[in-house]
Amino acid sequence: MNLIVRPRRLRINKNIRSLIRETKLSVDDLIYPLFLVEGENIKEEISSMPGNYHFSIDMLEEEIREISNLGIKAVLLFGVPNEKNPTGSEAYNDDGIVQKGIREIKKINKDILVITDICMCQYTDHGHCGIINEEGVDNDITLEYLGKIALSHAKAGADMVAPSDMMDGRVGKIREVLDANGFTNVSIMAYSAKYASAFYGPFRDAAHSKPQFGDRKTYQMDPSNSNEALREVELDIIEGADIVMIKPALPYLDIIKKVKDNFNVPIAAYNVSGEYAMIKAAIEKGLVDEKAIIFEVLTSIKRAGADIIITYFAKDIAKWIGEEM
Ligand code: PBG
């Protein structure tokens, strides 16, 4: 054959392949989620998310050191409180589980970026992401609570807050409250395009945050929509979001790409619990190669346009990137 152009020339060996590689994962891209529980001496594997643990505050030191040694620079904290009530008051308790966790982590390593999830579903007895009225979740009343939670986290030392509730106007409200209290340098990573997804199942087991009635479809987005994601992202940017997030990641790579093509703020993607659990299950069954599939999946998220990846695989991937260097 007289072929002038042969794409295989650039695949001929490892060094050529790495020379022309367009997308490379870096530990700098990663955020690792952590689940904090009350009590002492607890490091318990989360059954729905093997390889991830519930930590009591006193057990964080070893974990934080390990994360830092791997080069991971940011963690995302979720609290699992003992006490739940209609207004989720443990969420804005200055001595609540997340607030204590922030202070402890900063004591262990003041440089690690501490990001906190701002939501109410783990804290309310009904398991919804806001305050309930006769019609459902009351948007505007919930905003007051979200402001209080964000302020409480900022006071405890959070570097960044990440509202995941999907109420309208929450980014603006949180920005206003933080600024009014002198926290102008605390940034906001908004869960902007957060879909009403079945992929959150394992997380809801881990965080005990399943809604006790109904579902989250009046506030989280319909998986069928993508223009709506652009509107949500645009609104969050106008309201002051520093980083916008798409969640879940894998079934929504098209949304990541679309947001990347339309906006110029940093984009985060959340490789959520169901994506993790699904891949883990396939690995455990011996159906797929562990390292290869995790690299492939996370690379696809970055290739689609994500600058930041929140993933339960963060420690694995950081280890492997370290070994390759
Ligand atoms: C809280 C919240 C959820 C997740 C992150 N923050 C659950 C939900 O909305 O039901 C899911 C994360 C994951 O599945 O890994 N609202």
Side-chain angles (χ1 to χ4, degrees), residues 35 49 78 117 119-122 129 164-165 191 194 199-204 209 216 220 247 270-274 312:
F35 294 90
M49 299 167 66
F78 293 97
D117 186 81
C119 196
M120 306 195 69
C121 57
Q122 290 109 272
C129 302
S164 70
D165 52 282
Y191 287 70
K194 176 172 177 179
F199 283 91
Y200 308 148
F203 173 96
R204 290 180 190 169
S209 65
R216 304 211 202 287
Q220 299 181 348
K247 176 189 175 188
Y270 200 142
N271 176 225
V272 300
S273 59
Y312 304 99

PDB file of all heavy atoms in Angstrom, residues 35 49 78 117 119-122 129 164-165 191 194 199-204 209 216 220 247 270-274 312, ligand 1:
ATOM      1  N   PHE A  35     -15.875  11.518  54.722  1.00  0.00           N
ATOM      2  CA  PHE A  35     -17.114  11.453  55.505  1.00  0.00           C
ATOM      3  C   PHE A  35     -16.785  11.451  56.992  1.00  0.00           C
ATOM      4  O   PHE A  35     -16.102  10.539  57.471  1.00  0.00           O
ATOM      5  CB  PHE A  35     -17.892  10.177  55.162  1.00  0.00           C
ATOM      6  CG  PHE A  35     -18.394  10.158  53.745  1.00  0.00           C
ATOM      7  CD1 PHE A  35     -17.629   9.629  52.716  1.00  0.00           C
ATOM      8  CD2 PHE A  35     -19.643  10.695  53.443  1.00  0.00           C
ATOM      9  CE1 PHE A  35     -18.088   9.623  51.400  1.00  0.00           C
ATOM     10  CE2 PHE A  35     -20.119  10.688  52.133  1.00  0.00           C
ATOM     11  CZ  PHE A  35     -19.334  10.154  51.113  1.00  0.00           C
ATOM     12  N   MET A  49     -19.554   1.841  49.515  1.00  0.00           N
ATOM     13  CA  MET A  49     -18.435   2.445  48.804  1.00  0.00           C
ATOM     14  C   MET A  49     -17.113   1.865  49.303  1.00  0.00           C
ATOM     15  O   MET A  49     -16.336   2.548  49.961  1.00  0.00           O
ATOM     16  CB  MET A  49     -18.445   3.962  49.019  1.00  0.00           C
ATOM     17  CG  MET A  49     -19.713   4.628  48.503  1.00  0.00           C
ATOM     18  SD  MET A  49     -19.891   6.311  49.072  1.00  0.00           S
ATOM     19  CE  MET A  49     -18.500   7.043  48.237  1.00  0.00           C
ATOM     20  N   PHE A  78     -17.924  15.987  54.164  1.00  0.00           N
ATOM     21  CA  PHE A  78     -19.342  15.720  54.393  1.00  0.00           C
ATOM     22  C   PHE A  78     -19.508  15.304  55.845  1.00  0.00           C
ATOM     23  O   PHE A  78     -18.749  14.456  56.337  1.00  0.00           O
ATOM     24  CB  PHE A  78     -19.827  14.578  53.501  1.00  0.00           C
ATOM     25  CG  PHE A  78     -19.829  14.925  52.040  1.00  0.00           C
ATOM     26  CD1 PHE A  78     -18.778  14.554  51.223  1.00  0.00           C
ATOM     27  CD2 PHE A  78     -20.887  15.632  51.487  1.00  0.00           C
ATOM     28  CE1 PHE A  78     -18.778  14.883  49.875  1.00  0.00           C
ATOM     29  CE2 PHE A  78     -20.889  15.969  50.142  1.00  0.00           C
ATOM     30  CZ  PHE A  78     -19.838  15.591  49.336  1.00  0.00           C
ATOM     31  N   ASP A 117     -19.094  20.732  51.828  1.00  0.00           N
ATOM     32  CA  ASP A 117     -20.385  20.610  51.162  1.00  0.00           C
ATOM     33  C   ASP A 117     -21.408  21.392  51.980  1.00  0.00           C
ATOM     34  O   ASP A 117     -21.489  21.232  53.196  1.00  0.00           O
ATOM     35  CB  ASP A 117     -20.780  19.128  51.104  1.00  0.00           C
ATOM     36  CG  ASP A 117     -22.035  18.886  50.302  1.00  0.00           C
ATOM     37  OD1 ASP A 117     -21.948  18.829  49.068  1.00  0.00           O
ATOM     38  OD2 ASP A 117     -23.118  18.749  50.908  1.00  0.00           O
ATOM     39  N   CYS A 119     -25.188  21.727  52.452  1.00  0.00           N
ATOM     40  CA  CYS A 119     -26.495  21.168  52.144  1.00  0.00           C
ATOM     41  C   CYS A 119     -27.160  20.805  53.461  1.00  0.00           C
ATOM     42  O   CYS A 119     -26.534  20.843  54.509  1.00  0.00           O
ATOM     43  CB  CYS A 119     -26.374  19.938  51.245  1.00  0.00           C
ATOM     44  SG  CYS A 119     -27.946  19.516  50.471  1.00  0.00           S
ATOM     45  N   MET A 120     -28.427  20.429  53.396  1.00  0.00           N
ATOM     46  CA  MET A 120     -29.126  20.128  54.636  1.00  0.00           C
ATOM     47  C   MET A 120     -29.577  18.682  54.731  1.00  0.00           C
ATOM     48  O   MET A 120     -30.023  18.236  55.786  1.00  0.00           O
ATOM     49  CB  MET A 120     -30.338  21.052  54.777  1.00  0.00           C
ATOM     50  CG  MET A 120     -29.931  22.517  54.643  1.00  0.00           C
ATOM     51  SD  MET A 120     -31.189  23.644  55.225  1.00  0.00           S
ATOM     52  CE  MET A 120     -31.142  23.315  56.988  1.00  0.00           C
ATOM     53  N   CYS A 121     -29.449  17.912  53.648  1.00  0.00           N
ATOM     54  CA  CYS A 121     -30.107  16.604  53.627  1.00  0.00           C
ATOM     55  C   CYS A 121     -29.564  15.621  54.665  1.00  0.00           C
ATOM     56  O   CYS A 121     -30.304  14.772  55.148  1.00  0.00           O
ATOM     57  CB  CYS A 121     -30.081  15.999  52.235  1.00  0.00           C
ATOM     58  SG  CYS A 121     -28.454  15.818  51.525  1.00  0.00           S
ATOM     59  N   GLN A 122     -28.284  15.740  55.034  1.00  0.00           N
ATOM     60  CA  GLN A 122     -27.780  14.837  56.076  1.00  0.00           C
ATOM     61  C   GLN A 122     -28.277  15.257  57.463  1.00  0.00           C
ATOM     62  O   GLN A 122     -28.179  14.498  58.404  1.00  0.00           O
ATOM     63  CB  GLN A 122     -26.252  14.828  56.133  1.00  0.00           C
ATOM     64  CG  GLN A 122     -25.579  14.167  54.961  1.00  0.00           C
ATOM     65  CD  GLN A 122     -24.890  15.177  54.085  1.00  0.00           C
ATOM     66  OE1 GLN A 122     -25.520  15.714  53.180  1.00  0.00           O
ATOM     67  NE2 GLN A 122     -23.632  15.456  54.335  1.00  0.00           N
ATOM     68  N   CYS A 129     -33.142  18.612  51.054  1.00  0.00           N
ATOM     69  CA  CYS A 129     -32.007  19.544  51.060  1.00  0.00           C
ATOM     70  C   CYS A 129     -32.373  20.947  51.519  1.00  0.00           C
ATOM     71  O   CYS A 129     -31.641  21.903  51.251  1.00  0.00           O
ATOM     72  CB  CYS A 129     -31.379  19.588  49.678  1.00  0.00           C
ATOM     73  SG  CYS A 129     -30.822  17.967  49.108  1.00  0.00           S
ATOM     74  N   SER A 164     -24.611  22.349  47.483  1.00  0.00           N
ATOM     75  CA  SER A 164     -25.063  21.235  46.644  1.00  0.00           C
ATOM     76  C   SER A 164     -26.572  21.058  46.701  1.00  0.00           C
ATOM     77  O   SER A 164     -27.112  20.061  46.251  1.00  0.00           O
ATOM     78  CB  SER A 164     -24.385  19.937  47.097  1.00  0.00           C
ATOM     79  OG  SER A 164     -24.869  19.538  48.351  1.00  0.00           O
ATOM     80  N   ASP A 165     -27.251  22.060  47.260  1.00  0.00           N
ATOM     81  CA  ASP A 165     -28.691  21.953  47.526  1.00  0.00           C
ATOM     82  C   ASP A 165     -29.569  22.195  46.301  1.00  0.00           C
ATOM     83  O   ASP A 165     -30.707  21.781  46.259  1.00  0.00           O
ATOM     84  CB  ASP A 165     -29.035  23.009  48.565  1.00  0.00           C
ATOM     85  CG  ASP A 165     -28.501  24.357  48.088  1.00  0.00           C
ATOM     86  OD1 ASP A 165     -27.266  24.583  48.221  1.00  0.00           O
ATOM     87  OD2 ASP A 165     -29.270  25.147  47.524  1.00  0.00           O
ATOM     88  N   TYR A 191     -22.261  23.597  42.995  1.00  0.00           N
ATOM     89  CA  TYR A 191     -22.787  22.439  42.268  1.00  0.00           C
ATOM     90  C   TYR A 191     -23.840  23.054  41.327  1.00  0.00           C
ATOM     91  O   TYR A 191     -25.016  23.133  41.677  1.00  0.00           O
ATOM     92  CB  TYR A 191     -23.491  21.486  43.213  1.00  0.00           C
ATOM     93  CG  TYR A 191     -22.654  20.644  44.167  1.00  0.00           C
ATOM     94  CD1 TYR A 191     -21.986  21.218  45.248  1.00  0.00           C
ATOM     95  CD2 TYR A 191     -22.605  19.244  44.022  1.00  0.00           C
ATOM     96  CE1 TYR A 191     -21.283  20.411  46.148  1.00  0.00           C
ATOM     97  CE2 TYR A 191     -21.901  18.450  44.927  1.00  0.00           C
ATOM     98  CZ  TYR A 191     -21.246  19.044  45.979  1.00  0.00           C
ATOM     99  OH  TYR A 191     -20.570  18.252  46.881  1.00  0.00           O
ATOM    100  N   LYS A 194     -26.461  20.155  38.786  1.00  0.00           N
ATOM    101  CA  LYS A 194     -26.566  18.924  39.566  1.00  0.00           C
ATOM    102  C   LYS A 194     -27.870  18.229  39.189  1.00  0.00           C
ATOM    103  O   LYS A 194     -28.954  18.788  39.374  1.00  0.00           O
ATOM    104  CB  LYS A 194     -26.543  19.243  41.064  1.00  0.00           C
ATOM    105  CG  LYS A 194     -26.744  18.007  41.927  1.00  0.00           C
ATOM    106  CD  LYS A 194     -26.524  18.277  43.393  1.00  0.00           C
ATOM    107  CE  LYS A 194     -26.807  17.026  44.209  1.00  0.00           C
ATOM    108  NZ  LYS A 194     -26.580  17.240  45.642  1.00  0.00           N
ATOM    109  N   PHE A 199     -27.344   7.863  40.447  1.00  0.00           N
ATOM    110  CA  PHE A 199     -25.958   7.561  40.795  1.00  0.00           C
ATOM    111  C   PHE A 199     -25.552   8.040  42.195  1.00  0.00           C
ATOM    112  O   PHE A 199     -24.413   7.880  42.589  1.00  0.00           O
ATOM    113  CB  PHE A 199     -25.008   8.170  39.751  1.00  0.00           C
ATOM    114  CG  PHE A 199     -24.952   7.393  38.471  1.00  0.00           C
ATOM    115  CD1 PHE A 199     -25.807   7.687  37.423  1.00  0.00           C
ATOM    116  CD2 PHE A 199     -24.048   6.358  38.305  1.00  0.00           C
ATOM    117  CE1 PHE A 199     -25.763   6.964  36.237  1.00  0.00           C
ATOM    118  CE2 PHE A 199     -23.984   5.634  37.127  1.00  0.00           C
ATOM    119  CZ  PHE A 199     -24.847   5.941  36.092  1.00  0.00           C
ATOM    120  N   TYR A 200     -26.478   8.683  42.928  1.00  0.00           N
ATOM    121  CA  TYR A 200     -26.134   9.119  44.288  1.00  0.00           C
ATOM    122  C   TYR A 200     -26.468   8.061  45.339  1.00  0.00           C
ATOM    123  O   TYR A 200     -26.272   8.289  46.537  1.00  0.00           O
ATOM    124  CB  TYR A 200     -26.868  10.420  44.672  1.00  0.00           C
ATOM    125  CG  TYR A 200     -26.731  11.550  43.679  1.00  0.00           C
ATOM    126  CD1 TYR A 200     -27.760  12.482  43.501  1.00  0.00           C
ATOM    127  CD2 TYR A 200     -25.572  11.695  42.920  1.00  0.00           C
ATOM    128  CE1 TYR A 200     -27.642  13.515  42.596  1.00  0.00           C
ATOM    129  CE2 TYR A 200     -25.452  12.733  41.999  1.00  0.00           C
ATOM    130  CZ  TYR A 200     -26.494  13.640  41.839  1.00  0.00           C
ATOM    131  OH  TYR A 200     -26.385  14.652  40.939  1.00  0.00           O
ATOM    132  N   GLY A 201     -27.022   6.933  44.896  1.00  0.00           N
ATOM    133  CA  GLY A 201     -27.481   5.910  45.837  1.00  0.00           C
ATOM    134  C   GLY A 201     -26.484   5.541  46.918  1.00  0.00           C
ATOM    135  O   GLY A 201     -26.796   5.615  48.118  1.00  0.00           O
ATOM    136  N   PRO A 202     -25.265   5.126  46.555  1.00  0.00           N
ATOM    137  CA  PRO A 202     -24.304   4.707  47.582  1.00  0.00           C
ATOM    138  C   PRO A 202     -23.937   5.835  48.554  1.00  0.00           C
ATOM    139  O   PRO A 202     -23.726   5.593  49.737  1.00  0.00           O
ATOM    140  CB  PRO A 202     -23.075   4.277  46.760  1.00  0.00           C
ATOM    141  CG  PRO A 202     -23.624   3.936  45.407  1.00  0.00           C
ATOM    142  CD  PRO A 202     -24.769   4.877  45.183  1.00  0.00           C
ATOM    143  N   PHE A 203     -23.901   7.075  48.045  1.00  0.00           N
ATOM    144  CA  PHE A 203     -23.619   8.215  48.918  1.00  0.00           C
ATOM    145  C   PHE A 203     -24.724   8.360  49.962  1.00  0.00           C
ATOM    146  O   PHE A 203     -24.464   8.618  51.141  1.00  0.00           O
ATOM    147  CB  PHE A 203     -23.528   9.502  48.091  1.00  0.00           C
ATOM    148  CG  PHE A 203     -23.414  10.775  48.915  1.00  0.00           C
ATOM    149  CD1 PHE A 203     -22.172  11.329  49.163  1.00  0.00           C
ATOM    150  CD2 PHE A 203     -24.545  11.402  49.434  1.00  0.00           C
ATOM    151  CE1 PHE A 203     -22.054  12.499  49.920  1.00  0.00           C
ATOM    152  CE2 PHE A 203     -24.439  12.558  50.193  1.00  0.00           C
ATOM    153  CZ  PHE A 203     -23.192  13.105  50.434  1.00  0.00           C
ATOM    154  N   ARG A 204     -25.967   8.222  49.538  1.00  0.00           N
ATOM    155  CA  ARG A 204     -27.078   8.404  50.487  1.00  0.00           C
ATOM    156  C   ARG A 204     -27.050   7.331  51.570  1.00  0.00           C
ATOM    157  O   ARG A 204     -27.455   7.585  52.703  1.00  0.00           O
ATOM    158  CB  ARG A 204     -28.409   8.435  49.743  1.00  0.00           C
ATOM    159  CG  ARG A 204     -28.537   9.716  48.925  1.00  0.00           C
ATOM    160  CD  ARG A 204     -29.844   9.817  48.165  1.00  0.00           C
ATOM    161  NE  ARG A 204     -29.797  10.941  47.226  1.00  0.00           N
ATOM    162  CZ  ARG A 204     -30.697  11.165  46.287  1.00  0.00           C
ATOM    163  NH1 ARG A 204     -31.734  10.363  46.163  1.00  0.00           N
ATOM    164  NH2 ARG A 204     -30.578  12.203  45.479  1.00  0.00           N
ATOM    165  N   SER A 209     -28.701  10.073  54.057  1.00  0.00           N
ATOM    166  CA  SER A 209     -29.372  11.299  53.604  1.00  0.00           C
ATOM    167  C   SER A 209     -30.456  11.036  52.571  1.00  0.00           C
ATOM    168  O   SER A 209     -30.787  11.885  51.771  1.00  0.00           O
ATOM    169  CB  SER A 209     -28.328  12.248  53.005  1.00  0.00           C
ATOM    170  OG  SER A 209     -27.756  11.673  51.841  1.00  0.00           O
ATOM    171  N   ARG A 216     -35.960  14.277  44.800  1.00  0.00           N
ATOM    172  CA  ARG A 216     -35.338  15.598  44.731  1.00  0.00           C
ATOM    173  C   ARG A 216     -35.599  16.301  43.392  1.00  0.00           C
ATOM    174  O   ARG A 216     -34.904  17.224  43.020  1.00  0.00           O
ATOM    175  CB  ARG A 216     -33.830  15.464  44.940  1.00  0.00           C
ATOM    176  CG  ARG A 216     -33.408  14.772  46.238  1.00  0.00           C
ATOM    177  CD  ARG A 216     -32.076  15.331  46.728  1.00  0.00           C
ATOM    178  NE  ARG A 216     -31.336  14.455  47.627  1.00  0.00           N
ATOM    179  CZ  ARG A 216     -31.660  14.206  48.904  1.00  0.00           C
ATOM    180  NH1 ARG A 216     -32.758  14.743  49.431  1.00  0.00           N
ATOM    181  NH2 ARG A 216     -30.893  13.426  49.633  1.00  0.00           N
ATOM    182  N   GLN A 220     -33.316  19.278  41.963  1.00  0.00           N
ATOM    183  CA  GLN A 220     -32.209  18.834  41.107  1.00  0.00           C
ATOM    184  C   GLN A 220     -32.708  18.733  39.656  1.00  0.00           C
ATOM    185  O   GLN A 220     -33.901  18.597  39.400  1.00  0.00           O
ATOM    186  CB  GLN A 220     -31.676  17.494  41.602  1.00  0.00           C
ATOM    187  CG  GLN A 220     -31.142  17.608  43.035  1.00  0.00           C
ATOM    188  CD  GLN A 220     -30.565  16.308  43.579  1.00  0.00           C
ATOM    189  OE1 GLN A 220     -30.741  15.241  42.988  1.00  0.00           O
ATOM    190  NE2 GLN A 220     -29.902  16.393  44.716  1.00  0.00           N
ATOM    191  N   LYS A 247     -22.406  17.512  37.865  1.00  0.00           N
ATOM    192  CA  LYS A 247     -22.513  16.326  38.704  1.00  0.00           C
ATOM    193  C   LYS A 247     -23.752  15.531  38.338  1.00  0.00           C
ATOM    194  O   LYS A 247     -24.814  16.142  38.226  1.00  0.00           O
ATOM    195  CB  LYS A 247     -22.605  16.783  40.162  1.00  0.00           C
ATOM    196  CG  LYS A 247     -22.819  15.678  41.159  1.00  0.00           C
ATOM    197  CD  LYS A 247     -23.099  16.253  42.512  1.00  0.00           C
ATOM    198  CE  LYS A 247     -23.426  15.086  43.436  1.00  0.00           C
ATOM    199  NZ  LYS A 247     -23.898  15.517  44.707  1.00  0.00           N
ATOM    200  N   TYR A 270     -17.930  16.037  39.315  1.00  0.00           N
ATOM    201  CA  TYR A 270     -18.003  15.117  40.452  1.00  0.00           C
ATOM    202  C   TYR A 270     -18.255  13.698  39.935  1.00  0.00           C
ATOM    203  O   TYR A 270     -19.321  13.390  39.435  1.00  0.00           O
ATOM    204  CB  TYR A 270     -19.124  15.551  41.401  1.00  0.00           C
ATOM    205  CG  TYR A 270     -19.022  15.004  42.809  1.00  0.00           C
ATOM    206  CD1 TYR A 270     -19.367  15.799  43.905  1.00  0.00           C
ATOM    207  CD2 TYR A 270     -18.587  13.711  43.076  1.00  0.00           C
ATOM    208  CE1 TYR A 270     -19.282  15.323  45.213  1.00  0.00           C
ATOM    209  CE2 TYR A 270     -18.498  13.228  44.364  1.00  0.00           C
ATOM    210  CZ  TYR A 270     -18.847  14.035  45.423  1.00  0.00           C
ATOM    211  OH  TYR A 270     -18.776  13.549  46.711  1.00  0.00           O
ATOM    212  N   ASN A 271     -17.225  12.880  40.049  1.00  0.00           N
ATOM    213  CA  ASN A 271     -17.301  11.453  39.717  1.00  0.00           C
ATOM    214  C   ASN A 271     -17.952  10.787  40.938  1.00  0.00           C
ATOM    215  O   ASN A 271     -17.280  10.420  41.880  1.00  0.00           O
ATOM    216  CB  ASN A 271     -15.847  10.993  39.483  1.00  0.00           C
ATOM    217  CG  ASN A 271     -15.668   9.522  39.211  1.00  0.00           C
ATOM    218  OD1 ASN A 271     -14.775   8.902  39.770  1.00  0.00           O
ATOM    219  ND2 ASN A 271     -16.461   8.947  38.352  1.00  0.00           N
ATOM    220  N   VAL A 272     -19.276  10.650  40.891  1.00  0.00           N
ATOM    221  CA  VAL A 272     -20.034  10.401  42.120  1.00  0.00           C
ATOM    222  C   VAL A 272     -20.002   8.941  42.601  1.00  0.00           C
ATOM    223  O   VAL A 272     -19.469   8.051  41.920  1.00  0.00           O
ATOM    224  CB  VAL A 272     -21.508  10.862  41.992  1.00  0.00           C
ATOM    225  CG1 VAL A 272     -21.586  12.354  41.696  1.00  0.00           C
ATOM    226  CG2 VAL A 272     -22.249  10.038  40.954  1.00  0.00           C
ATOM    227  N   SER A 273     -20.668   8.747  43.742  1.00  0.00           N
ATOM    228  CA  SER A 273     -20.614   7.459  44.431  1.00  0.00           C
ATOM    229  C   SER A 273     -21.071   6.277  43.572  1.00  0.00           C
ATOM    230  O   SER A 273     -20.480   5.197  43.621  1.00  0.00           O
ATOM    231  CB  SER A 273     -21.453   7.527  45.705  1.00  0.00           C
ATOM    232  OG  SER A 273     -22.803   7.851  45.396  1.00  0.00           O
ATOM    233  N   GLY A 274     -22.128   6.481  42.777  1.00  0.00           N
ATOM    234  CA  GLY A 274     -22.636   5.379  41.951  1.00  0.00           C
ATOM    235  C   GLY A 274     -21.666   5.012  40.841  1.00  0.00           C
ATOM    236  O   GLY A 274     -21.537   3.837  40.467  1.00  0.00           O
ATOM    237  N   TYR A 312     -13.664   9.576  44.443  1.00  0.00           N
ATOM    238  CA  TYR A 312     -13.314   8.621  45.497  1.00  0.00           C
ATOM    239  C   TYR A 312     -12.105   7.791  45.081  1.00  0.00           C
ATOM    240  O   TYR A 312     -11.578   7.030  45.886  1.00  0.00           O
ATOM    241  CB  TYR A 312     -14.524   7.729  45.818  1.00  0.00           C
ATOM    242  CG  TYR A 312     -15.746   8.551  46.193  1.00  0.00           C
ATOM    243  CD1 TYR A 312     -16.757   8.819  45.269  1.00  0.00           C
ATOM    244  CD2 TYR A 312     -15.851   9.121  47.464  1.00  0.00           C
ATOM    245  CE1 TYR A 312     -17.857   9.608  45.597  1.00  0.00           C
ATOM    246  CE2 TYR A 312     -16.949   9.908  47.798  1.00  0.00           C
ATOM    247  CZ  TYR A 312     -17.940  10.150  46.862  1.00  0.00           C
ATOM    248  OH  TYR A 312     -19.008  10.935  47.190  1.00  0.00           O
TER     249      TYR A 312
HETATM  250  C1  PBG B   1     -25.935  16.440  49.187  1.00  0.00           C
HETATM  251  C2  PBG B   1     -25.028  15.715  48.267  1.00  0.00           C
HETATM  252  C3  PBG B   1     -25.241  14.525  47.565  1.00  0.00           C
HETATM  253  C4  PBG B   1     -24.041  14.223  46.932  1.00  0.00           C
HETATM  254  C5  PBG B   1     -23.161  15.257  47.215  1.00  0.00           C
HETATM  255  N1  PBG B   1     -23.798  16.181  48.038  1.00  0.00           N
HETATM  256  C6  PBG B   1     -26.402  13.608  47.535  1.00  0.00           C
HETATM  257  C7  PBG B   1     -27.704  14.009  46.972  1.00  0.00           C
HETATM  258  O1  PBG B   1     -27.874  15.086  46.401  1.00  0.00           O
HETATM  259  O2  PBG B   1     -28.618  13.218  47.159  1.00  0.00           O
HETATM  260  C8  PBG B   1     -23.768  13.001  46.123  1.00  0.00           C
HETATM  261  C9  PBG B   1     -22.354  12.598  46.007  1.00  0.00           C
HETATM  262  C10 PBG B   1     -22.116  11.226  45.503  1.00  0.00           C
HETATM  263  O3  PBG B   1     -23.055  10.509  45.102  1.00  0.00           O
HETATM  264  O4  PBG B   1     -20.950  10.821  45.492  1.00  0.00           O
HETATM  265  N2  PBG B   1     -27.054  16.992  48.642  1.00  0.00           N
END
